[in-house]
Amino acid sequence: MAANSQALNFPHKKAPSLDEFLNDVAQRNPGEPEFLQAVHEVATDILPFVADKPVYRDLRILERIAEPDRVISFRVTWQEDDGTVHINRGYRVQNNNAIGPYKGGLRFHPSVNQSILKFLAYEQTFKNALTGLPMGGGKGGSDFDPKGRSDSEVMRFCQAFMSELVNHIGPDCDVPAGDIGVGAREIGFLFGQHKRLTRQFQGVLTGKGPSYGGSLMRPEATGFGTVYMMDNMLTHRNEAIAGKICVVSGSGNVATFATQKINELGGRVVTLSDSTGYIYDPDGIDNEKLQWVIDLKNNRRGRISEYAEHFGCSFFEDERPWNVPCDLAFPCATQNEINEADASHLIKNECEAISEGANMPTTPGAISALQEAGVLLAPGKAANAGGVAVSGLEMSQNSQRYAWTSQEVDDKLKDIMAGIHEQCLAYGEEKAGVNYARGANVAGFVKVADAMLAQGVI
Ligand code: NDP
Ligand code: 2IT
């Protein structure tokens, strides 16, 4: 095998210890705590795995994935409606394209910086591998805050952002999509500007509207997929979502569609949140109330506290929902939203399982505590992969100049999530139960690593 013969040309190298590896990454990436956190979490599982596999170890596959192929940053200048000039910073991190074109979302949020986008692009590399579709890992975005901006301001920002990004993306090179702060409205403006600049109608973005090449079910895919992952985990132990009390954080794309699918499967969602706090509705957020939330967030662009006023329930300002008693938890807002104190509440309340709709929502200390307590934990790179999976299906449909029905896409999404669950079992089954985090890390790594080996030292 070509990969083995390459390895034979290398002198035997001792695998670095976890500390040596992390010190090296820390020195090369100062001031990037989120990136280091993501690399640490994967390395903890992969270094022992490669220790007796010289073909991966000597060719330094893990070290290569932890150095993005490139990080592009650029100025974005745009004007407010009153003429005020604003300067933001835009980024695209192209982490790894061993198994396909770079693929991953764009995040518009004031917290965005290089560390956050590097962690997201790194995670995306393993996540995309788990889907079984040919997509490499990338992520991008800007510290632009769409909150409180008019549609025309958002449009001008998107046009300015795309005027630079256009130089770095393409349907066979890098295909962005949405993430926090980037939904259907923003994708539409970005697509329009890309088309204007290139004079090409291309599948260069996913999450497009269905009238211009978007896949049916892409809006639903991440939230639905996160619930399918939970369903797979529970089915594996002969249980079901029906009748379970569910705590969901966030109230955006992922949280709302996760809530819809939980309702359909007979669970009861009692919380939603945003950056100002959470609402607790013990009667459950049924589909009628959920439609009200979707309108609040997508059209009126209001705050979740308005739900408590409208439906007469409690709002907890500046708090997160993890101390609410629950059977199942679905963090669907942002990174590091479950810390050790939150984990101890979940454990005390006998939460059984967590499916991460968000990327890296659980801190390392919280992960250890939850795993030790026997709480099932599906990591974001497995549990929220349904979104990018349907993005991959959107790329396939664009290439074929064809559109599948909602049912066809949903069936494929279910199969993909079942396949991800199987891969987690294949590499994560342990005496004490299934370590889904380890299973996802190793399965994702093996796929990317084998492609890198086949393609030589580049
Ligand atoms: P949205 O912008 O639609 O919604 C984000 C939600 O999270 C909002 O309720 C927002 O509240 C809340 N939120 C964002 N930042 C913070 C913060 N710092 N503290 C507290 N709450 C916060 O984004 P998505 O639903 O698309 O994304 C949610 C998560 O899911 C992210 O981690 C994203 O990376 C991940 N994800 C998204 C996918 C997708 O397809 N969209 C795919 C896979 C993962 P507020 O409105 O107040 O800011
Ligand atoms: O984190 C993610 O997987 C996403 N934001 C979706 C990426 C995509 O390309 O659909």
Side-chain angles (χ1 to χ4, degrees):
M1 191 179 120
N4 282 322
S5 61
Q6 277 176 42
L8 292 177
N9 294 334
F10 274 68
H12 176 78
K13 293 243 169 39
K14 194 173 146 297
S17 69
L18 184 62
D19 280 350
E20 284 166 341
F21 173 75
L22 292 174
N23 284 341
D24 184 49
V25 179
Q27 270 179 14
R28 294 158 68 83
N29 301 282
E32 298 191 349
E34 294 85 0
F35 178 59
L36 294 184
Q37 183 182 333
V39 172
H40 187 157
E41 195 259 328
V42 171
T44 305
D45 290 329
I46 301 302
L47 282 175
F49 176 75
V50 300
D52 61 353
K53 297 177 185 62
V55 71
Y56 295 139
R57 187 193 67 203
D58 296 352
L59 287 162
R60 307 188 66 190
I61 299 294
L62 187 63
E63 291 92 324
R64 282 153 65 183
I65 301 174
E67 182 67 32
D69 288 359
R70 63 194 66 78
V71 178
I72 299 148
S73 113
F74 47 92
R75 191 186 70 240
V76 185
T77 314
W78 59 281
Q79 274 182 298
E80 217 176 286
D81 290 339
D82 71 3
T84 309
V85 173
H86 289 271
I87 298 157
N88 284 98
R89 189 171 293 171
Y91 298 91
R92 188 72 183 162
V93 178
Q94 297 175 334
N95 194 72
N96 184 290
N97 65 353
I99 65 168
Y102 305 107
K103 180 86 196 85
L106 297 170
R107 179 176 290 192
F108 291 170
H109 192 271
S111 64
V112 160
N113 59 33
Q114 186 166 298
S115 170
I116 289 177
L117 294 181
K118 278 171 68 177
F119 116 63
L120 288 163
Y122 181 79
E123 288 282 289
Q124 198 84 45
T125 301
F126 300 98
K127 181 197 305 189
N128 293 2
L130 289 170
T131 66
L133 300 174
M135 301 180 289
K139 200 86 187 188
S142 174
D143 56 3
F144 170 71
D145 187 356
K147 276 201 199 84
R149 292 288 168 206
S150 68
D151 286 351
S152 56
E153 287 170 337
V154 170
M155 180 179 75
R156 281 195 296 280
F157 175 82
C158 289
Q159 291 175 341
F161 182 85
M162 182 52 81
S163 297
E164 183 65 30
L165 188 69
V166 66
N167 298 313
H168 309 287
I169 61 174
D172 295 315
C173 164
D174 185 353
V175 183
D179 192 78
I180 292 176
V182 178
R185 173 181 64 168
E186 290 74 18
I187 293 292
F189 293 148
L190 291 163
F191 183 80
Q193 181 71 350
H194 185 273
K195 184 165 63 79
R196 172 159 73 174
L197 294 170
T198 60
R199 291 170 293 118
Q200 305 281 319
F201 193 106
Q202 292 178 314
V204 71
L205 290 160
T206 60
K208 301 184 291 297
S211 62
Y212 63 98
S215 177
L216 295 176
M217 298 299 293
R218 176 63 189 88
E220 292 87 345
T222 311
F224 279 20
T226 301
V227 179
Y228 293 150
M229 185 69 190
M230 178 65 90
D231 192 41
N232 282 307
M233 291 199 297
L234 295 182
T235 304
H236 186 63
R237 3 162 108 183
N238 296 318
E239 291 187 47
I241 290 175
K244 298 249 169 22
I245 303 291
C246 302
V247 161
V248 176
S249 68
S251 48
N253 171 270
V254 182
T256 51
F257 285 111
T259 300
Q260 185 178 321
K261 184 53 73 176
I262 293 168
N263 286 342
E264 194 185 314
L265 296 182
R268 194 195 321 165
V269 176
V270 295
T271 65
L272 285 173
S273 72
D274 66 16
S275 52
T276 63
Y278 77 90
I279 56 105
Y280 176 43
D281 184 347
D283 295 338
I285 300 161
D286 61 22
N287 282 343
E288 207 174 306
K289 293 174 182 171
L290 185 63
Q291 284 314 312
W292 189 91
V293 174
I294 292 172
D295 178 57
L296 173 79
K297 287 293 170 180
N298 288 357
N299 302 325
R300 293 187 281 130
R301 299 195 183 261
R303 313 311 301 153
I304 199 68
S305 56
E306 294 172 45
Y307 179 103
E309 288 154 26
H310 189 78
F311 292 109
C313 69
S314 311
F315 171 66
F316 296 85
E317 195 173 351
D318 290 333
E319 286 186 43
R320 296 186 293 228
W322 312 121
N323 59 355
V324 171
C326 67
D327 302 308
L328 307 175
F330 296 85
C332 297
T334 193
Q335 64 274 0
N336 292 329
E337 55 168 315
I338 298 181
N339 62 24
E340 283 176 66
D342 300 319
S344 64
H345 287 304
L346 289 164
I347 293 165
K348 183 173 58 65
N349 288 329
E350 297 183 7
C351 171
E352 179 184 351
I354 300 174
S355 185
E356 296 184 343
N359 285 302
M360 206 169 74
T362 315
T363 65
I367 294 175
S368 306
L370 290 161
Q371 285 175 337
E372 264 168 45
V375 180
L376 286 180
L377 179 64
K381 62 171 78 69
N384 70 40
V388 74
V390 173
S391 278
L393 300 179
E394 183 167 325
M395 291 167 74
S396 306
Q397 292 169 82
N398 291 167
S399 298
Q400 295 179 59
R401 305 221 185 278
Y402 193 65
W404 294 321
T405 62
S406 293
Q407 190 62 55
E408 284 172 306
V409 178
D410 195 29
D411 287 347
K412 289 180 202 300
L413 171 62
K414 278 187 192 143
D415 285 350
I416 289 170
M417 296 312 298
I420 292 174
H421 184 260
E422 284 300 313
Q423 293 176 74
C424 290
L425 293 187
Y427 287 103
E429 216 145 20
E430 295 172 355
K431 270 201 206 107
V434 184
N435 184 332
Y436 283 92
R438 174 166 304 150
N441 283 336
V442 176
F445 172 82
V446 166
K447 174 146 190 204
V448 176
D450 286 347
M452 289 173 72
L453 291 177
Q455 293 170 30
V457 179
I458 53 171

